[in-house]
Amino acid sequence: DLVLASRAGSAERAAAWVRATESPLAVVQLAARALVAFAPFRGSVKPALAADCAAGARLLSAGISISLENARVNLTLVQAREDLERLQRESREGELGASLALAAFGLEL
C-alpha cells in the first residue's frame, strides 16, 4: 500500500499511513484475544505441553510488542487529527488489553 501510495497524491499517502497503523493494532487485538481464550485452559494442559504453551504465550507477547512499536512509529506519520486521535485511543486500549492478557501468563509488555 505505502509503496503504491508514495507514487499517488497526498490523500492516498495519508490513507495508507492510517491503514499501516490499523494493521499492527489489529494484530495486537488478535494476539490478546488468543491469550484470553487460552488462559482458562492453561493449567489443564498435559505437563509435556506446558513448555509449548509458555513458548506460545511468549511468541504472542513478542508479536504484541513488535506490533505496538510499529503502530507507534506509523502514528507519527498520520496527518488527519481525527484519525490520529482514534488510532492513539485504539493503541492505548490495545496495549491495556494486551497487558491484562499477558499478565495471566506472568508476562509483561
Side-chain angles (χ1 to χ4, degrees), residues 29-45 60 97 100-102 104-105:
Q29 290 178 349
L30 182 61
R33 285 196 303 254
L35 288 166
V36 167
F38 179 67
F41 306 104
R42 188 173 149 232
S44 62
V45 298
L60 286 169
L100 293 172
L102 287 166
F105 292 85

Side-chain angles (χ1 to χ4, degrees), residues 3 5 10 16-17 20-21 25-26 31 45-46 53-54 56 59-60 64 69 73-74 91 94-95 98 100-102 105:
V3 173
S10 62
W17 282 115
T21 306
L25 292 177
V45 298
K46 295 179 182 181
C53 293
L59 285 170
L60 286 169
I64 289 168
E69 183 60 28
V73 169
N74 292 345
S91 180
E95 186 170 349
L100 293 172
L102 287 166
F105 292 85

